[in-house]
């Protein structure tokens, strides 16, 4: 089978620059375009060859591969028998390159406009800030629309040109009897526009990576690992699509005393064995600062829990508003040392009380 020299097809030398290749391709593609040569089978075949040659030689990586071993670039006899090749073969030919996407069924009417990605950042909060709420700034690494080129990717002072080959649609389609064949435009790589001079700042991408300072309002009563959503402050959209959202995840500092349980706080409070036995009014620390009074009844047992209503974390309006509770878990403290007088009193108490505190235990064991 005769091998096709892609350089010859494009009428350029092996040393041709990418620019020369592109220029030559444009010229030949116009010359042999089926619209310009209705019914001319030879022109049609030449057009396909030109397309194919350009597809390979316009991509430096493929061009290198081709230069090193052109064999791998030849499909099943397409170039050998141009007379028999219809557009169906054209699609086979292009299909072999993998990166052309769907050969069939792409209308090209919708250009690839897409929403920017969502971005999540952590924000560390002190216990108090989380409880009271705070407005803070967070550094958000985002892809932003490039300010130098206004997101177009073209160097300042220049604008991307609408691709002349596809009229900006990004695809080339051809009616072929009962179906239309579409292929991504090789003149612009499917972008629909051509950037002659890429913006130096973003390299032609139209987006740049930077850290944006975003003001975030953390609501009072914020929990640990809560996500606050800020719409539209994520990555910039592509091709004019909407920006993604920003999620600020709270990392709340642990408090040495207060443990958060939903909207409640739990606090362990030591009480003396005398307070527990006689009952007392004690002061309990509040999560937000200050103290709250708690009435212990006589005979309070170790581990007993009391609820101080409304002394917990502020609750979101959606959850009923107001505040959670403060749960006080009593821990009875037994003195480690006794003064002589105290010991005498307790010994007198022991004589006075004839209670057997383990009676119930033994009853349960059945001894
Ligand atoms: Zn194009
Ligand atoms: Zn730019």
């Amino acid at each position: 089978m005769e091998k096709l020299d892609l350089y010859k097809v494009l009428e350029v030398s092996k040393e041709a620059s990418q620019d020369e290749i592109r220029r030559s391709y444009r010229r030949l593609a116009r010359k042999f375009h089926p619209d310009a040569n209705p019914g001319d089978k030879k022109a049609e075949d030449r057009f396909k060859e030109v397309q194919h040659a350009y597809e390979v030689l316009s991509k430096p990586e493929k061009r290198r591969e081709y230069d090193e071993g052109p064999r791998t670039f030849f499909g099943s006899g397409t170039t050998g028998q141009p007379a028999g090749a219809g557009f169906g073969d054209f699609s086979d030919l292009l299909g072999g390159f993998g990166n052309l996407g769907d050969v069939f069924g792409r209308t090209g009417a919708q250009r690839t406009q897409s929403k920017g990605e969502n971005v999540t950042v952590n924000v560390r909060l002190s216990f108090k800030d989380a409880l009271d709420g705070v407005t803070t700034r967070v550094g958000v690494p985002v892809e932003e629309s490039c300010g130098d080129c206004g997101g177009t990717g073209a160097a300042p002072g220049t604008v991307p040109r609408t691709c002349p080959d596809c009229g900006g649609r990004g695809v080339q389609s051809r009616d072929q009897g009962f179906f239309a064949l579409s292929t991504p435009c090789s003149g612009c790589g499917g972008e629909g526009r051509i950037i002659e001079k890429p913006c130096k700042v973003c390299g032609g991408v139209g987006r740049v990576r930077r850290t944006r300072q975003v003001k975030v309002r953390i609501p009072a009563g914020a929990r640990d690992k809560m996500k606050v959503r800020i719409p539209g402050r994520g990555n910039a959209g592509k091709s004019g699509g909407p920006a993604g959202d920003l999620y600020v995840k709270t990392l709340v500092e642990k408090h040495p005393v207060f443990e958060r349980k939903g909207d409640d706080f739990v606090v362990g409070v030591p009480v003396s064995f005398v307070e527990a036995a006689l009952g007392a009014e004690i002061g309990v620390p509040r999560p937000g600062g200050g103290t709250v009074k708690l009435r212990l009844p006589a005979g309070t047992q170790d581990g007993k829990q009391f609820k101080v209503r409304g002394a917990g974390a502020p609750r979101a309006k959606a959850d009923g508003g107001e505040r959670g509770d403060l749960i006080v878990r009593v821990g009875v403290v037994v003195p480690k040392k006794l003064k002589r007088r105290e010991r005498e009193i307790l010994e007198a108490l022991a004589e006075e009380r004839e209670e057997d505190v383990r009676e119930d235990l033994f009853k349960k064991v059945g001894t």
Side-chain angles (χ1 to χ4, degrees):
M1 195 203 309
E2 189 196 336
K3 277 175 194 155
L4 192 63
D5 184 328
L6 300 184
Y7 289 101
K8 271 198 189 134
V9 168
L10 279 186
E11 301 180 2
V12 292
S13 73
K14 283 207 157 44
E15 291 74 38
S17 69
Q18 293 304 118
D19 233 31
E20 283 175 89
I21 287 173
R22 195 195 307 153
R23 271 200 303 273
S24 193
Y25 161 70
R26 291 258 169 77
R27 184 174 55 80
L28 293 168
R30 267 195 292 274
K31 188 172 160 190
F32 295 112
H33 200 285
D35 292 351
N37 304 276
D40 184 343
K41 199 80 181 129
K42 275 224 167 81
E44 196 177 294
D45 289 327
R46 269 293 272 141
F47 180 71
K48 283 182 275 178
E49 288 176 359
V50 165
Q51 288 272 24
H52 167 51
Y54 182 66
E55 180 55 40
V56 175
L57 298 184
S58 64
K59 310 254 163 38
E61 203 172 292
K62 283 189 189 169
R63 184 181 177 182
R64 205 176 316 121
E65 248 179 273
Y66 170 74
D67 288 343
E68 286 162 8
R71 210 164 309 250
T72 58
F73 278 84
F74 290 93
S76 51
T78 320
T79 56
Q81 315 112 340
F87 280 107
D89 292 319
F90 180 38
S91 74
D92 289 345
L93 182 68
L94 291 176
F97 292 100
N99 66 341
L100 289 173
D102 302 321
V103 173
F104 295 98
R106 239 177 82 153
T107 63
Q110 67 277 57
R111 300 295 303 119
T112 48
Q113 199 184 54
S114 59
K115 189 182 182 212
E117 299 85 358
N118 294 338
V119 175
T120 302
V121 290
N122 294 335
V123 61
R124 288 183 183 281
L125 297 172
S126 70
F127 178 80
K128 193 171 179 340
D129 281 350
L131 190 61
D132 296 345
V134 67
T135 298
T136 184
R137 285 180 174 280
V138 288
V140 184
V142 285
E143 300 269 356
E144 276 199 333
S145 183
C146 174
D148 275 56
C149 60
T152 64
T158 72
V159 286
R161 277 197 309 126
T162 300
C163 173
D165 297 337
C166 62
R169 296 191 316 128
V171 291
Q172 289 165 330
S173 55
R174 204 116 292 117
D175 281 333
Q176 181 65 24
F178 44 85
F179 64 89
L181 174 64
S182 293
T183 58
C185 173
S186 43
C188 58
E191 289 293 314
R193 18 166 253 167
I194 293 170
I195 295 168
E196 230 103 77
K197 267 181 76 184
C199 165
K200 285 214 175 71
V201 175
C202 64
V205 178
R207 301 205 302 176
V208 284
R209 195 157 185 81
R210 55 164 284 222
T211 301
R212 186 204 285 154
Q213 296 296 317
V214 176
K215 212 163 126 182
V216 188
R217 173 74 204 155
I218 304 290
R223 298 184 195 192
D224 187 38
K225 297 188 177 68
M226 186 179 89
K227 278 183 173 175
V228 180
R229 177 170 169 266
I230 303 164
R233 302 312 300 268
N235 281 346
K238 281 166 207 152
S239 307
D245 301 331
L246 170 64
Y247 287 90
V248 177
K249 189 174 160 193
T250 57
L251 298 177
V252 181
E253 172 197 53
K254 284 242 179 313
H255 194 279
V257 162
F258 298 106
E259 186 195 339
R260 180 104 182 219
K261 283 259 163 73
D263 292 320
D264 299 337
F265 284 106
V266 180
V267 61
V269 174
V271 301
S272 78
F273 77 108
V274 179
E275 286 171 331
L278 298 179
E281 192 173 79
I282 62 170
V284 171
R286 260 185 113 100
T291 58
V292 59
K293 284 219 177 337
L294 177 70
R295 179 77 227 163
L296 286 184
T300 294
Q301 301 297 304
D302 182 57
K304 170 97 180 151
Q305 295 195 8
F306 297 91
K307 197 178 268 184
V308 183
R309 293 206 182 273
R315 204 178 272 150
K317 279 217 175 68
D319 300 333
E322 314 249 313
R323 282 172 169 266
D325 303 325
L326 176 63
I327 313 285
V328 177
R329 190 182 293 136
V330 163
V332 175
V333 178
V334 176
K336 287 182 183 141
K337 268 188 180 169
L338 293 171
K339 292 179 189 148
R340 220 177 78 192
R341 169 98 177 110
E342 289 169 338
R343 171 174 286 274
E344 286 167 10
I345 292 168
L346 287 181
E347 280 168 354
L349 177 67
E351 265 174 49
E352 184 67 25
R353 278 182 82 83
E354 287 169 358
E355 181 194 34
D356 180 358
V357 293
R358 283 168 295 280
E359 190 184 349
D360 206 38
L361 171 74
F362 282 101
K363 246 189 218 151
K364 281 179 188 157
V365 173
T367 309

